[in-house]
Amino acid sequence: MTATKPDAPTTPTTAASPTGGARPEAGRARSSHRLAWTLYLGTAAVVTIVLAVTLIVLTLLAARTADTAVSRGLEQTRQHVRALLDGRERSLASGALVFAQGPVFRSLVIDARPEDLRDQAAEAVERIGATWVQITDGNGVRLAKSDEPTAAADTLSGSALIGGALSGDVATGFGVAGDTALVQTAAVPIAVGQARAAGVLMAAQVIDTAFARSIRDATASEIIFYLLERDGTPRIAVTTLSDSTAIRSLLSGISTDSAAGDGPPLVEMGGQHFVALAEPLLSAGGDSLGGFVALRSRDAEMAPFAALRRSIALVGLLGLGAAAALAFVLTRQIIRPLRALADATRRAAAGDYGANVEVHGDDEIGSLAAAMRSMLSDLHERQVLSDFLAEPSGVEATRESRGERARREAIESVTAAPSALQTGALLAGRYRIAEVLGVGGNGVVYKATDIELGEAVAVKTLRPGSMLEDPVTLERLKSEIRLARRISHRNVVRIHDLGEADGMYFITMEYVAGTPLNELIDRRAPIAVSSTLAIAKQLCRALEVAHEQGIIHRDIKPSNIIVQPDGVLKVMDFGVARPITRSSTMTQAGMVVGTPAYMAPEQLAGESVDARADLFSVGVVLYECLTRRRPFDAWSPTGLLGQALTSKPPAPHDINPQVPRPLSSLVMSVLSSAPAQRPASAAELREKLSRLR
């Protein structure tokens, strides 16, 4: 060891102690290591605890969710089966009634001519859609049976089914054919004047494997139809399952005299655990003849949760492995932004959406912060619109606005027309009309109830002339519906389908309860800047989705924009939407489609347009919100085109000084007659709007 010169600078921290003890730096190093280990072990403990609690909670929630899903699915299956059986029963009864009214058929029954009636029975099978048919005389004696030409002339009046029909009623119920087949039956009287029934026409339809499989395909539930022996023992009639031993064990637990009982809560078949729901089927006399059992796999419902649980466990183990190296870095890099995000979350939970999340970066926390900013912005916009709708509208609240008056007068005119659908009318056998919502250039919009789904929908009936006379127009409409159905976004009214009833075409769509923007403008304009910005950004979001699908709306205007009470804006009426690239056979050259007052100059001129035409319409809407007037006003499309190309409207700030100049300038740029001078996309316009406060 080299000695240090007396005048050389000495550093006590580098010299060994005379007794050979450790240096102070080593103690600090060990302290630093202890701190690192403390951070690592603390992180590992937290990760382990959180992982364990998460897995336990997830398991409990998964089991509860799976049980709820299974129960809901079984109930839906039961309702579906009942609906199918009721529909088959009505079909059998109505078909039999129609056939029994035939004069030739009735005369053959009165004359009791079995040979001719066998042919009639075969014909009835085809016309009714039954599996087999049999005919009796007025005393209940069998005259013919379609599937057994040589069937004996037995007396059947003792059965509740035939006896009920002989008494003049339509009798229905379930029965057993050949001791093995479960059938649905309907018996109708063959009436001759006011006299006693001259006979009975009985139609039967077998519940077969194809019927059971159709239920399984529609509901994702396995199904078993069973019969009851004389001693009450259930016997399988039809099933979609193959494990007959397990099925018999399941059926043995069903109470034969229960009105509607549950089967065993959990049964094992083929290595899977199923939950069962059973319901009896009754004969025409009200006796329990058998029933059906719906089963859903609990294991299948739990499978996604099990995979998620495994993934969480694996991620937790990987986190423990990485905790040692990242303990210090994560502590420093995570705590600060997480505190900011937590504060923003707490403020949002308290109803304050104005938190400024100053956390940026390309990592996960930066993405989370961006998502938080987007969420807060969205909630703020909705809150602004919701508060705006809740505010009293002042003096004008006692008067009817122009839009409301025009809408009322149009509705009154349509309602008084003989061809209008009246309240309570059933359209296409499915949609129950409730009220008229509005009247447009292409047709009438009604609120209706979809009786099959039990949901409220909007139904837009289309004026029939052009549809019937021009096949190209109809084909174009179908193409537009296909386009509109590609758009799925909360700011866009969802299009369901195109239908036709009695020569009238109609479109079904999502029903939206809210206020059209044109009525808000009539009552409230000029609309406050904050509310206008909220409207504009949601409108841009809707157009972003449409433009991403290659679709231009072409008719953006206040009456096509609905503001819901919760502040969510909906864009509707994609009836004139077009793809950005479209075949010339579908749209005539130079054809103008839309509302002229809100059209871009290139659209008014009948030229090809792109997404920037919709942005021009957005600019007109914003201008009207801020100033209560449109930038261009003329009586004809030609006049509007001339104004848009040759004159410049006053800026919104010049009409309404409350409008900030940056917003006023942005609106004017969107209203530029040259598409290249407008924002390039709805996303770009929304980004510019978001920077305005």
Side-chain angles (χ1 to χ4, degrees):
M1 179 174 177
T2 305
T4 305
K5 295 180 180 180
D7 56 350
T10 60
T11 305
T13 58
T14 60
S17 64
T19 60
R23 299 172 181 173
E25 288 79 5
R28 282 195 292 270
R30 285 195 299 270
S31 176
S32 176
H33 290 315
R34 284 195 300 269
L35 179 59
W37 276 105
T38 300
L39 290 173
Y40 166 66
L41 293 176
T43 303
V46 170
V47 171
T48 302
I49 294 172
V50 170
L51 179 62
V53 172
T54 300
L55 292 176
I56 293 172
V57 172
L58 177 63
T59 301
L60 296 176
L61 291 178
R64 182 182 303 173
T65 303
D67 290 339
T68 301
V70 168
S71 298
R72 186 186 302 113
L74 287 175
E75 178 58 25
Q76 292 174 347
T77 300
R78 185 189 69 79
Q79 295 176 4
H80 182 75
V81 174
R82 269 299 172 193
L84 290 178
L85 294 176
D86 290 346
R88 283 162 56 111
E89 178 183 282
R90 289 192 298 270
S91 178
L92 282 175
S94 61
L97 280 171
V98 172
F99 192 86
Q101 292 173 359
V104 175
F105 174 70
R106 286 186 294 178
S107 65
L108 292 175
V109 173
I110 294 172
D111 295 341
R113 297 166 60 180
E115 294 182 359
D116 293 332
L117 287 173
R118 293 189 191 102
D119 295 335
Q120 290 288 306
E123 182 180 349
V125 167
E126 295 183 4
R127 291 177 56 182
I128 298 173
T131 305
W132 52 267
V133 165
Q134 66 178 344
I135 305 165
T136 75
D137 61 14
N139 295 318
V141 177
R142 182 190 292 129
L143 297 176
K145 193 168 186 287
S146 63
D147 62 335
E148 294 182 43
T150 60
D154 295 336
T155 300
L156 307 176
S157 59
S159 72
L161 189 72
I162 300 299
L166 286 173
S167 65
D169 298 326
V170 175
T172 60
F174 292 86
V176 180
D179 295 331
T180 58
L182 179 63
V183 296
Q184 269 187 283
T185 59
V188 301
I190 304 171
V192 181
Q194 299 297 325
R196 184 175 182 271
V200 172
L201 174 61
M202 172 186 168
Q205 192 169 15
V206 173
I207 295 178
D208 55 13
T209 303
F211 180 71
R213 287 175 179 170
S214 70
I215 297 172
R216 180 188 61 188
D217 294 341
T219 64
S221 297
E222 303 292 345
I223 195 77
I224 304 169
F225 286 93
Y226 65 92
L227 301 170
L228 292 177
E229 303 281 7
R230 294 183 181 276
D231 61 357
T233 302
R235 184 175 76 252
I236 302 171
V238 174
T239 181
T240 57
L241 294 166
S242 58
D243 192 343
S244 57
T245 301
I247 295 173
R248 284 192 292 272
S249 175
L250 166 65
L251 294 179
S252 65
I254 297 175
S255 175
T256 59
D257 58 354
S258 62
D262 287 340
L266 198 63
V267 294
E268 183 176 354
M269 286 187 288
Q272 291 194 65
H273 295 86
F274 290 85
V275 179
L277 178 67
E279 184 164 332
L281 299 176
L282 306 179
S283 67
D287 299 323
S288 180
L289 192 70
F292 65 85
V293 182
L295 303 103
R296 290 183 78 89
S297 172
R298 190 175 186 272
D299 297 338
E301 295 289 346
M302 287 289 293
F305 297 106
L308 178 61
R309 187 170 56 230
R310 289 192 297 271
S311 299
I312 291 176
L314 178 60
V315 170
L317 293 176
L318 293 176
L320 288 174
L326 300 178
F328 295 105
V329 176
L330 292 179
T331 300
R332 294 179 180 178
Q333 292 185 351
I334 291 179
I335 294 301
R336 181 185 59 80
L338 283 185
R339 284 176 178 168
L341 292 175
D343 178 67
T345 303
R346 283 191 293 268
R347 291 175 60 181
D352 177 8
Y353 308 125
N356 189 15
V357 182
E358 294 294 341
V359 179
H360 302 279
D362 297 330
D363 57 7
E364 290 80 359
I365 295 180
S367 299
L368 178 61
M372 174 67 75
R373 284 191 294 271
S374 177
M375 182 191 72
L376 291 175
S377 175
D378 179 60
L379 292 173
H380 176 69
E381 293 166 14
R382 292 172 57 180
Q383 185 64 50
V384 166
L385 281 182
S386 180
D387 292 344
F388 169 69
L389 292 174
E391 292 175 356
S393 56
V395 178
E396 289 194 356
T398 62
R399 299 202 303 264
E400 187 177 41
S401 69
R402 291 179 300 168
E404 292 170 326
R405 182 170 59 256
R407 177 173 174 269
R408 175 180 56 78
E409 291 173 352
I411 289 175
E412 290 174 353
S413 174
V414 167
T415 305
S419 60
L421 296 175
Q422 301 301 317
T423 300
L426 187 63
L427 177 63
R430 177 171 178 175
Y431 304 102
R432 184 76 65 187
I433 301 300
E435 61 176 307
V436 180
L437 295 177
V439 182
N442 295 326
V444 183
V445 181
Y446 298 88
K447 178 183 179 182
T449 299
D450 185 338
I451 60 176
E452 289 190 11
L453 301 179
E455 295 180 350
V457 297
V459 177
K460 181 174 183 177
T461 59
L462 305 175
R463 302 192 185 282
S466 60
M467 293 299 145
L468 298 176
E469 297 170 3
D470 186 3
V472 175
T473 302
L474 177 58
E475 184 60 30
R476 185 176 66 214
L477 176 64
K478 292 179 180 178
S479 175
E480 291 157 3
I481 296 299
R482 285 192 291 269
L483 290 173
R485 290 178 63 175
R486 285 161 49 185
I487 305 174
S488 179
H489 191 266
R490 73 175 181 191
N491 291 126
V492 176
V493 174
R494 179 73 172 167
I495 300 293
H496 295 324
D497 207 350
L498 172 69
E500 184 269 337
D502 299 326
M504 177 176 64
Y505 286 88
F506 61 91
I507 300 172
T508 56
M509 62 191 77
E510 173 190 5
Y511 170 70
V512 178
T515 306
L517 182 57
N518 61 316
E519 293 185 10
L520 292 177
I521 292 174
D522 285 345
R523 283 192 173 275
R524 307 287 189 90
I527 295 176
V529 170
S530 59
S531 299
T532 301
L533 286 173
I535 291 170
K537 285 187 272 188
Q538 294 195 60
L539 180 54
C540 286
R541 287 194 190 97
L543 292 177
E544 281 183 60
V545 177
H547 295 168
E548 286 172 1
Q549 294 292 331
I551 300 169
I552 308 173
H553 188 286
R554 294 194 180 212
D555 198 20
I556 293 296
K557 58 184 178 181
S559 60
N560 279 340
I561 300 170
I562 305 296
V563 182
Q564 298 183 125
D566 61 356
V568 175
L569 178 144
K570 294 273 190 178
V571 179
M572 60 180 293
D573 204 353
F574 273 80
V576 296
R578 297 288 189 275
I580 293 176
T581 302
R582 190 179 183 94
S583 170
S584 61
T585 61
M586 300 298 290
T587 304
Q588 299 175 2
M591 184 175 72
V592 176
V593 181
T595 304
Y598 296 88
M599 286 184 184
E602 63 271 22
Q603 189 177 357
L604 283 168
E607 301 173 354
S608 61
V609 299
D610 58 20
R612 291 172 294 185
D614 279 346
L615 300 188
F616 183 93
S617 302
V618 172
V620 178
V621 171
L622 299 185
Y623 193 101
E624 192 171 3
C625 288
L626 294 170
T627 67
R628 203 176 185 177
R629 54 180 279 191
R630 291 190 287 267
F632 307 107
D633 196 5
W635 289 101
S636 67
T638 303
L640 288 167
L641 177 59
Q643 289 185 14
L645 293 176
T646 62
S647 63
K648 185 177 181 180
H653 176 80
D654 296 335
I655 301 173
N656 179 8
Q658 300 299 321
V659 179
R661 291 188 181 275
L663 175 58
S664 182
S665 299
L666 178 58
V667 172
M668 294 302 291
S669 70
V670 178
L671 291 174
S672 174
S673 60
Q677 296 179 7
R678 303 172 202 153
S681 65
E684 180 181 330
L685 176 57
R686 182 172 62 84
E687 179 63 28
K688 290 182 177 181
L689 289 166
S690 298
R691 291 197 290 265
L692 301 176
R693 292 288 182 178

